Each structure stands twice: as C-alpha cells, then as structure tokens.
Amino acid sequence: MCNLLRNSGKTAILVSEEDDEAIFVKGSQKGNYCVCFDPLDGSSNIDCGVSIGTIFGIYKVQDGQGEPSLKDVLRKGTEMVAAGYCLYGSSTVMVLTFQGSNEVNGYTLDPSIGEFLLSHRNMKLGTKKIYSTNEGNAHTFDDAIKGYLESVKFPPPGHTGKFTPYTARYVGSMVADVHRTILYGGVFLYPGAKLRILYECFPMALIIEAAGGKASTGRGRMLDVVPDKLHARSGIVCGTSEEVDAVEERYKKMDAAAKK
C-alpha cells in the first residue's frame, strides 16, 4: 500500500499504523497530500473469516511550495480533505466522504469488470436502536459509559409498562461496526484511549458527521482534537446524534459531580 501511494505521485507524507515513523516521499514522486491509514483494521479476525477493512484520512500539505513536515498531519480532524474506508467481507465496499460535502457514498466492487460501482448513494444513519461495544472490558469503563449502557439495557427504577432494550451488536472490527452503525443506526462506543486518532478516529468521525451523525470523545467533538504525536490515541463515541448526546450528557454530570 505504501508503494502504491508513493508511486502515485500525489503523496508527500504517509502515516501507517504499521510504521512507527512517518514516511516522507522524496524527489519527483512527491505530491501535495498526506495519507494517514490503518491498512488492515480488525486483523485479529482474519483467521475466523470476519469482515475486516482499511481506514484512511487525507490532509493537504499546508505550504505547497515548502518541505512537508509532521505539522501537516498533526492537525484537527476538521482539516482533513477526505476520508474513507474499505470493507472486506461478503462483498468489498469502499465508502468515501469529502470535506464540506455533507455526503457519504459507498461503492461496491464488481469483480466481473474489476470496478467499484456506486451502490450506496448519500448514505445517512439509520434509526434502529443498536449499541456496539466490547463489554468484555466493562470493568474498565467509567461511570458515564456504564450508566449509558445500563440505560439502554434495563428499565429505569420505578418504570412500569413495556420496556424495549437496545440490540447489542459487536464485531470487533471498527470498519464493520461503524459500517453497520451507518446503515442501521445506533451507536459505536470504544471507551478509553486505545484507538489511533489520525487513522481510526478522525476518518470515521468525518464520515459519521457527513452521514448526519455525531462523533465525540465523550467530552467534546472528536474532529476538534489536535493530536500531539503520530500514533496518539483516544476513545470514541459515534453514531446518531441522539445517542452521542446522551453519552455526552452523562459525562457532564459525572464531571460536575467530581468537582463537588
């Protein structure tokens, strides 16, 4: 993947989950774009045949006449000019969005002609009540996340009448879980500081927002974060605005109580 991007003549900096340092493209191959990517998200699922994918986000070099530097990628997610992912499963789907477009489109690979065809035009988040998180790590969740999960699984104290809990769905591949969240609705939660900001959180946040949803750290907009290093990490909550707002409100209450 690095070789293909370098040989395209369009890239100046490559930031890969697989490499500790950024790759600077030199000479006649140097272009004006910085590509941050996770080449194989969900790789631990390969042996069991579960969907995996590639996630990427693209910045434009700030000074097209000067030498590119890490400052060109250590920027807010709002400055990405494009983002997308490829999902490798029962079909191969590429989902793309561009800065300011407020539109997300999906393209499915037709192997008979070797081309991606537009199959999901102007994707918007669905309305189903689904939550997606690794509850095996529940003992590490803070009170805001625990409280939210309790609220979607169990009726509140004193509740009478019918209560319909949310459906739980979790693949363990961010591409698969976010793709389902866009198509069906709900929320994807990954608490704690584990996911990489530049090539996991930012691209997915840009896509989710363009699809009509929200993406948050729990305490603020994900795309407003400024990473301090290439492989900086964060937690993320992304999905429909209603669900993300509910999580953020619990963080506000938790933080207010901590100050008393």
Side-chain angles (χ1 to χ4, degrees):
M1 189 170 179
C2 287
N3 288 337
L4 288 171
L5 288 168
R6 185 188 291 110
N7 293 335
S8 71
K10 303 295 184 182
T11 59
I13 303 175
L14 307 178
V15 178
S16 170
E17 191 268 343
E18 300 292 338
D19 296 302
D20 292 336
E21 303 296 332
I23 298 171
F24 289 85
V25 181
K26 303 294 185 181
S28 60
Q29 293 180 319
K30 187 177 74 172
N32 292 317
Y33 293 94
C34 311
V35 185
C36 308
F37 58 96
D38 182 352
L40 205 55
D41 172 68
S43 56
S44 61
N45 287 321
I46 290 176
D47 289 344
C48 58
V50 172
S51 297
I52 56 176
T54 298
I55 309 171
F56 60 90
I58 302 172
Y59 289 103
K60 190 170 185 179
V61 173
Q62 298 178 90
D63 180 2
Q65 304 302 315
E67 282 298 314
S69 72
L70 292 184
K71 291 181 180 179
D72 289 305
V73 293
L74 297 179
R75 299 151 66 184
K76 289 184 178 182
T78 52
E79 297 183 44
M80 280 189 168
V81 297
Y85 61 79
C86 289
L87 174 70
Y88 315 123
S90 57
S91 59
T92 299
V93 180
M94 179 171 61
V95 173
L96 294 171
T97 192
F98 298 91
Q99 184 189 64
S101 69
N102 292 319
E103 187 171 302
V104 179
N105 291 303
Y107 305 81
T108 301
L109 178 65
D110 183 341
S112 66
I113 60 174
E115 297 286 349
F116 283 90
L117 306 180
L118 179 62
S119 54
H120 301 73
R121 185 186 297 275
N122 197 16
M123 300 166 70
K124 297 297 179 185
L125 267 78
T127 58
K128 292 184 178 180
K129 300 297 186 180
I130 301 171
Y131 75 94
S132 179
T133 192
N134 184 358
E135 293 196 82
N137 293 327
H139 67 286
T140 68
F141 295 170
D142 54 36
D143 289 342
I145 296 296
K146 288 179 180 178
Y148 171 78
L149 292 176
E150 287 291 308
S151 74
V152 301
K153 293 190 293 183
F154 303 104
H159 176 84
T160 59
K162 184 180 180 181
F163 173 80
T164 304
Y166 285 27
T167 300
R169 293 284 185 269
Y170 184 70
V171 176
S173 165
M174 189 183 190
V175 169
D177 284 313
V178 171
H179 188 66
R180 183 198 57 251
T181 300
I182 295 173
L183 293 179
Y184 296 165
V187 62
F188 171 77
L189 309 97
Y190 209 112
K194 183 176 180 182
L195 295 181
R196 274 70 168 207
I197 295 173
L198 282 175
Y199 42 81
E200 290 176 320
C201 296
F202 276 175
M204 291 307 197
L206 198 68
I207 293 166
I208 287 285
E209 286 196 4
K214 292 184 70 173
S216 173
T217 64
R219 293 183 170 90
R221 187 185 183 196
M222 185 74 245
L223 290 175
D224 286 337
V225 172
V226 180
D228 59 356
K229 55 185 177 181
L230 289 180
H231 303 290
R233 300 171 184 252
S234 174
I236 191 171
V237 179
C238 61
T240 62
S241 297
E242 178 185 3
E243 302 304 333
V244 176
D245 286 344
V247 175
E248 288 187 331
E249 186 60 31
R250 288 185 177 272
Y251 270 102
K252 289 178 183 177
K253 292 179 179 179
M254 183 183 77
D255 292 343
K259 292 178 181 178
K260 293 181 178 179

